[in-house]
Every structure is written in structure tokens, then in C-alpha cells.
Amino acid sequence: MGYLMSRSNSAARTIAFPSRPPACTKALVRTRHDELSDDITLLCVPNKSECASIPNGARYVYARGETPDVVVLTEANSTGLIANYLQPSVAAIVPVVDVSGEHGCGSAGTYGCVDLCLEATNSFALTEALLILKPMIDRVRALPQSVIMSTDPKRVLLARLAVRGRDMEPARDPSVRETIVYPDATAVPDARALAEELVCLGLLERQFFDKLITCPCCDSARLSVRECCSACHSTDLTEEPVIHHLRCSTQAPEPDFRHGTMLICPKCRLYLEHFSVDYDQPGSVMLCRKCGYISTDPAVGFTCLDCQAEGGTDETGTSVVWRYRLTEAGLARVKCDASMPARVSDHALDRLKTFVSREEAAERPFCVFASRLTQPAGVDRRLWEQTCALFGRLFQEVFTPETEIIDAVVGATPVFLALLAEDCKAEVERAIPDIRMDLERHLSVRPRVNYAVFGPDELTRILGGQCQEGSTL
Amino acid sequence: MIGVDIIARAGEFLVALPDWSLVMVFWLTIVAEVPRYFVGVQATAAAVLLYGDQPRGPLKRVPLVSILLVGHNEEASIESCVRSLHDQTFNQFEIICVDDGSSDQTFAIMQRLRREGLIHSAVRLELRGSKPSGINLAARLAKGDILVVIDCDCSFEPDAIQELLRPIVEQPCVAAVSGNILVRNWRRSIITSLQAIEYLLSISLGKAYANIIDQVWCVSGAFGAFRRDAWERICGMDSGGGEDFDFTIRLRLAGYKVVFARHSICYTDVPETLYALLRQRNRWERDTFWVRLRKYKRLLNPFRTNLSWQALILQWDFLLFNFLPTVVFPFYLVWLLTRYGEFGVLLLCAVTLVLYVLDLAVFVCAVLVTGRPIYWRLLPFLPLFGPFQSYVMRLDRFYSYATEWVFTSSKHDNYTPQKTRDWLVWK
């Protein structure tokens, strides 16, 4: 094999091969072909022509209903055509090889579904590619048919990640407002939202990738960040050295001393000739040429490249970017034929149901303490996110460590539930003022919080389907 | 009983002495101590005169005020100082901070305070340049028409800034105002308690009296306000120690009026150990010597042109009632003990007890003038104050004057960088 190049903006790997295999390696090629013992099926897209040469042990499929082991792209930017030949779930799961030799001309987002790129199209290169993809091919073949043909995008996404044996990695793409794309979204539309739902279900887990600074007006991450004047936000700053005349203790920016090429003390009118004898330069200051403000601590400001909004960095929002990793539960869910939970909130409701049934079986008093946060008007998003996070931590601390806590988002509002075993509703209701004080006294932003306590009867009614997705909570 | 016995024996001896002999024995006390208590009596009168001088509400039409904070390794105190300033009844000011070559987190704290909007500007100097140069830079950056100079380790009464500004705002002839400085850590040790008494007597009472007779010659660098035009006319502070005293002298010699605002109270920490106190006073006394007898020795000459009677009084008052008694005191002590032997000690004790009565009177006046009843708690330490001032501090002062006079020891003072000290005039 030649050498590998990792693309920073794509999950695909590019492999460079010599345009034709050297003669001395022909025996080696034959040996390598023998490793492709299985009958591997290839689908060429566009399906106009086949690759020039096909490795031993491989064949082309043409029938629309047949599932290939590998999709081979023979023309540049033809990823969009895969959907014409394959069912969406199959297109997303089956590995894709680009043999057009013109890969990389698309953005990370449009090129994300390609798993391998070949710089040369010949039997030798394709054989090497298929050998690399062999583990993926085997994993696709091991999937239940119901998964391969699934119409559930969440399950398809899980299968795609399981087949490739990798995380759902974000990639930087300055052509989009968020500056981050998920290449897997090319194969599975809306992959990020689906991944978030899968996280709630415990089938994927988040891994920190980056935190982006975003525009408070339009949420774009395409910001031009630079030093600016703390007083007027002008970027017309100039750095001036500070001069200290040792003899008379006059200390001021250099322009106060500068007379042509000479330095003359503005106080005692003496020439400053010798550095470190007559004068020192103990530091420098940033002088704003617009308003005259002087400081050594300029502010950092931004301009949004999308909406042209300007401001200081303290006004910006933040957005955390995650990579998503398949959990053991997620992998098991792909391998078995079990159905997926229908909605995100089902996970929270599942836990709630488990709690209720367990406590009812134990015939103990129990209740659920719920608090729902509403964003006050005039509070920016970043501060609100911080407040919600702090509230969540405080919520954990208010109750005993063994108390089960559920945090969920119902509608657009965060809801925190404390599942209180062995506490009856009346007792908890009496404690609401104390709990409220503990939860809210540390918050600089006072959110509007609705507190409620649900006893066994109400919980049974809610879980019995009389309320939609726990919206009562 | 011992004290009564001492007084009785000393009293019998004194009664038996003819008048001229009495003067011969107590000439130093009569020359050096009694005038000090006369000052106290006059200060009492001043307090009575100032009885109606109470704070009079918010100021009207205050020009822009800039507060200058210059610190070197002040990470422990700068934040509380800034926050204390923002708790003032008058807080329409900008704060300019200069970090004078700190090696600690001072500038990081300044940056944070700027981001919080508590200070207007923060400037970092990599090299330490001394306090006067730092203040000069801060004044250059300030936009205010009134400059308030403050030490980073100070905290304030809520109306301190308002009362400090009042004379400048209401009297156009006033160019500088000295604030009233009291001791914050007076409970920490006997040494701090004695200093608290000293501050009460010399600043709260002494400057109130000096204010009456227009003899305020030192606006402390820890807490003072200056009119900007006056500041610029005399081109800011000069190099060397005692820069606040030097600056005020130059202001007054330029014809400006300087006053004391006794209702403007700031608190500062004083040295807690005797060693630290002696070191601090050594430096102060050397600076005083340098400013008065080296830099401004011309002011001692009553025949010079452009004679200022007030400056002349200032200098001769120092010479006669401070410098000479300090220099003579050790010799007097030796003379008294060699001439009267053991009985000399009894005489000194008797004098100390008599002076205690005077100290008590002055202390009462000082606390009344200051208007802070908490300082009545210093009363138990008052018996120590007289002997401490007479024997410890006066001998320390003698040592300072002697080393400065003979060895110009302030030349080696590390309070200002060597490069700056090299330029000072040492004659």
C-alpha cells in the first residue's frame, strides 16, 4: 500500500497508489486478491460504466433491489446519485469508495459519506481498498436485515456508526454559519439532532470536541475577533511605549516626549539621550486613536461575518460541539432486532415509570418533585444556559445523593425531576419554600421557576397516558 | 503605691528647687514637650471652633473626578480598596490603576476589575519605577479635573470621597485637600494601638489645628485630592521619598491653598511589630530630613527673596521643636542620669506621670474631634504612649537623623529603584 493521508475535514481516507502496479509486485497482488475470498458485490455510481478492472472475488451488481457490499463512485461529486440506486438506509450503511480521482473538491459536508478515496483506478488499488473495507463489509453482512432496511433514521445512524467502527465526528467547515458540520449528515439527514436524541436514550454518548463562540444575534460562529478599545470599541489601536524619566519621575506615553527624533521631557525640558541612564521604558500602553483612551488591557471584540453585529466577547454566546460515540447499549441495539424508543421524552418517562412501579410494589409513600424553568425576558442565551446549568447542579445538591434526578427538556423549557422515595407529597410541599431558597439564592439571574409535587395518584394518571409526554410536569 | 511615693518624693524635691533650677532640670521638657501640649490645647480650641463644621449633604456640580491607584504587589488589598470606593455616597468618578512592576497577581486582579466595569483603565508596567512616577503616569491617563490619590491598602468611610472633595468643589481657592487617616488594625497589637493614638493626635487633631492656622503642609499620599490645573502647573510629583510632603510644599510655594478635611476618614493598616514600625519610621524620618534640610533648606533662610512666612514657620518649627530636641535628647538623658543618679530615674518617672495627664487631655480632645467613639477603647494604652514616644520613637528618630546626616542612608533605601535614586540631589 502506498501512504495514507488523513483529511482534517472529512471522515474519508485518501489512499495514493501508483498509476499502475510495478511488475515485480504482480505476484504479491495475486496473493492479496486471494485474501478477498468472499464474493464481494460492487455497485458503480453512476451506473454507466464499470471500473476498468475488477479484483478477483468481486463482482458488480446492477439490480436495483440487490444490496451491494460496497458502492464505488466513478465520477466526482456523485454522492447525491447513490440515492437513485439504493434505499436510503442501505445508502447510509454500505461503505463507499470514490475512485474518481477528483475527490476533495467538495466541502466536508458534501463529501462526508465517502469512506475511502483512491487516487488511481486499477485492480491493484481497488483490491487494497476492498481489503481495507473488509471489516466494514463483514459488519454490514452481520446486521439484521430489519436494520439494513430500516426506515428509522436513528437506527440507520446507529448502524452506520457501528459498521464503520468510529465516532460521529464533527468537521470544520467555514462555509456554514456554525463552522462545524457532521459529515455523516450527508448520509443520514439531520444526524446531529438524531444523535442528541440517541444520547438521551443512552445509545450514544457525548465526547467534548470544541466550544464555539457565537454571535448573540444570529448564532453564527463566523466571527472576526480582535482587540479593540475598552471605551469606544474602536479597533484603531496603536501600541506606544511608556517612558520614565528617571531624574524627575515623569512617566507618560512616548508621544509626550517625542520631538522629531529627540526625546525631551515635558516636565523639565531635558533631553533624554541614554536609555537606562536618563530614562527607562517600563512598559507599553494601547492608545485608541479614536477616543484617546489608554490602557494596557484592551478589550476583545467581535464582528459577526454573517449579520455584521459588533460587540464585546462578554456579549457572545457559546456553543459546545460534541462528537458522538456508540455506547454498548447502542451497539447491542444495532445487532439485535429490538425496536427503538419512539420519542426522546420516552426515556425520561421510562425511568419515571420504573420508579413508580418499583415504589408501588414496595408499598411505600413516594412522590416526584418537579421544577420547570422559564427564561425571563431580556436575559441573553449564554447567561440563560449558565443559569440552567447552575440550577441543575444545585438541584442535584439539594437532595440526598441517592435521590434519582431526571433532567429533561419539555417543549423548550428545562424540567428537573427528583424521584423521592419514602417521602409523601404533603411533607415535600411543606418543604418547598426551603428548597426554593436553596435553589435560587445563588442565581444571579432569577428565572421564573414553577415548583410542583406529584403524588402517586397524579403520577399514575400522567403515566397512564392522560397527559401528553409528561407535559404536565 | 509606688507611683504615689515617686510623685511625693519628686514633688518634695521639685518644691525645694529654686525657679531657675527647675528650668535647668526640665529644660528639655519645657522646650520640647510643653509646646507639643500647647498645640494640643490649641487643637482643642480648634475642635470647639469646628464644632459646627459637620458634613452638609451631597455635593453640587462636581467636575469629573479621577481616582489614581498605584500599587506594587498589592494583590491582597487592591480589590477591597476598589470595591470600598464603589460603596461611597459619591461615586461618579473614574478609577485609574497602575501596576508598578508587581510580581504577583495585582495586574490580573486589575484586569478582572476592569472587565467588571469597576475600574476605568488598568496599566501594567514591567519595571518598577517608584510611586511618584506611577502616580504621574496615572495622572497623565486620567481625564478628571480633580485627582484623588489613594493607597491600595486603604478603606473608607462611606462619605470619605464626598467630604474630601467638598473643600475643592466649594472653595475655588483650594488646590489640595488632605484626608483624615485613622488606623484600621489597631486591635492587632500594642504597637498598632499606640500608633492609632499617634494618628489620632497627630493627624485628626494636629492637622485640624494646622488647618485653622493655615499650616497644612503635607497632603498624605495615602489619601488626598488635588485640583488638576494645580497639579499640572507644578508638573506632578518629583523623584525621591516623601513625595507627598515634597509635592505639597511645592504646591504651597506656588501659592495654592491646602486644607484638611477632618470628616473625610480613611483607614489604613500600620506595622504590627516594633521592628516593622522602626523600619517604616526610619524611612519616613530620613525622607523628612531629606526634604526639609536638603531639598528645601533654603526655606530656613528668613532673608531670602520671595520669603514665605508660613514656610519659614514650618521649617523653624521642625528645627526647634523636633530636630533639636531629638538630637539633644540622648545627651540630656545621660546628663540627667549622671548628675542625679538613681534620683534622675525617679524624676523621669514623675515627669512621665505628669505628662500622662496632658496626654489624657489631648487624647480626649482627639477622640471628640474625630467623632469615632470606638477609639475610646485605646484609653488603656495611653499610659504607654508618652514613654513610647519619648524614649523609643525619639531615639529611633535620633538614629534616623544621625544616619541620614552622616551617611545619607536614604540613598540606599530600596523604596525607590536605584536608577531613580542615583539622580537625587545629595548635599
Side-chain angles (χ1 to χ4, degrees), chain B residues 53-349:
Chain B
D53 179 24
Q54 297 297 325
R56 284 161 289 171
L59 296 169
K60 292 172 185 171
R61 294 187 301 279
V62 183
L64 180 61
V65 176
S66 299
I67 293 182
L68 315 182
L69 275 175
V70 178
H72 173 75
N73 290 345
E74 299 282 2
E75 65 179 5
S77 53
I78 181 132
E79 182 165 1
S80 57
C81 177
V82 170
R83 292 190 187 279
S84 164
L85 285 170
H86 281 278
D87 287 338
Q88 290 288 303
T89 51
F90 173 84
N91 54 17
Q92 301 303 306
F93 46 69
E94 60 169 16
I95 300 177
I96 310 292
C97 290
V98 174
D99 173 18
D100 191 22
S102 297
S103 55
D104 61 2
Q105 294 298 307
T106 302
F107 186 63
I109 295 170
M110 288 179 181
Q111 283 180 303
R112 179 164 54 76
L113 293 172
R114 193 198 59 73
R115 283 197 295 274
E116 289 179 29
L118 296 177
I119 65 175
H120 183 252
S121 182
V123 172
R124 159 93 171 144
L125 299 175
E126 301 295 333
L127 294 176
R128 186 181 182 191
S130 78
K131 188 174 177 185
S133 59
I135 291 177
N136 284 339
L137 178 61
R140 163 66 182 81
L141 307 184
K143 298 276 190 292
D145 298 314
I146 297 174
L147 306 176
V148 177
V149 179
I150 282 172
D151 267 358
C152 293
D153 61 350
C154 288
S155 54
F156 310 91
E157 287 285 321
D159 60 348
I161 298 292
Q162 177 178 293
E163 294 308 315
L164 186 73
L165 296 173
R166 188 180 298 283
I168 285 188
V169 172
E170 296 182 350
Q171 303 172 50
C173 60
V174 172
V177 184
S178 177
N180 191 357
I181 301 173
L182 297 176
V183 174
R184 183 172 50 210
N185 60 338
W186 60 271
R187 293 181 180 87
R188 295 300 293 267
S189 66
I190 293 175
I191 296 296
T192 58
S193 298
L194 294 175
Q195 288 175 85
I197 296 172
E198 184 190 4
Y199 275 57
L200 277 173
L201 267 54
S202 64
I203 297 179
S204 290
L205 191 58
K207 280 195 176 176
Y209 166 66
N211 196 40
I212 296 293
I213 59 171
D214 192 19
Q215 277 294 101
V216 179
W217 282 87
C218 181
V219 176
S220 170
F223 190 41
F226 304 89
R227 203 180 284 280
R228 189 187 189 96
D229 52 0
W231 179 286
E232 289 180 344
R233 188 180 154 202
I234 61 167
C235 299
M237 293 199 168
D238 267 355
S239 302
E243 72 280 348
D244 47 359
F245 182 37
D246 167 56
F247 184 76
T248 316
I249 289 178
R250 289 194 289 127
L251 264 182
R252 295 217 44 163
L253 292 179
Y256 290 106
K257 184 176 175 65
V258 179
V259 300
F260 172 68
R262 70 184 175 98
H263 296 299
S264 172
I265 293 176
C266 106
Y267 298 92
T268 189
D269 284 342
V270 294
E272 294 178 8
T273 64
L274 182 60
Y275 176 71
L277 173 64
L278 294 180
R279 280 197 58 181
Q280 183 201 54
R281 292 307 166 89
N282 249 309
R283 182 164 57 79
W284 287 8
E285 298 300 348
R286 287 198 302 262
D287 291 343
T288 301
F289 188 97
W290 184 79
V291 172
R292 286 179 183 267
L293 300 183
R294 287 207 163 96
K295 189 167 184 179
Y296 293 105
K297 68 181 176 186
R298 68 178 188 277
L299 299 181
L300 285 164
N301 180 7
F303 305 108
R304 73 185 182 94
T305 53
N306 299 326
L307 174 69
S308 162
W309 284 105
Q310 279 137 336
L312 192 70
I313 292 169
L314 169 83
Q315 289 290 67
W316 281 97
D317 171 71
F318 169 76
L319 201 65
L320 293 177
F321 297 117
N322 186 315
F323 183 74
L324 285 179
T326 301
V327 172
V328 168
F329 179 70
F331 304 103
Y332 169 76
L333 209 57
V334 171
W335 171 78
L336 195 69
L337 294 176
T338 52
R339 175 154 188 181
Y340 295 99
E342 193 180 320
F343 194 68
V345 177
L346 289 178
L347 284 176
L348 288 175
C349 293

Side-chain angles (χ1 to χ4, degrees), chain A residues 154 197 201 340-349 468-469:
Chain A
K154 289 198 286 284
E197 290 188 31
L201 297 170
M340 299 286 289
R343 287 179 292 271
V344 176
S345 55
D346 284 355
H347 182 58
L349 289 176
Q468 291 284 316
E469 294 182 25

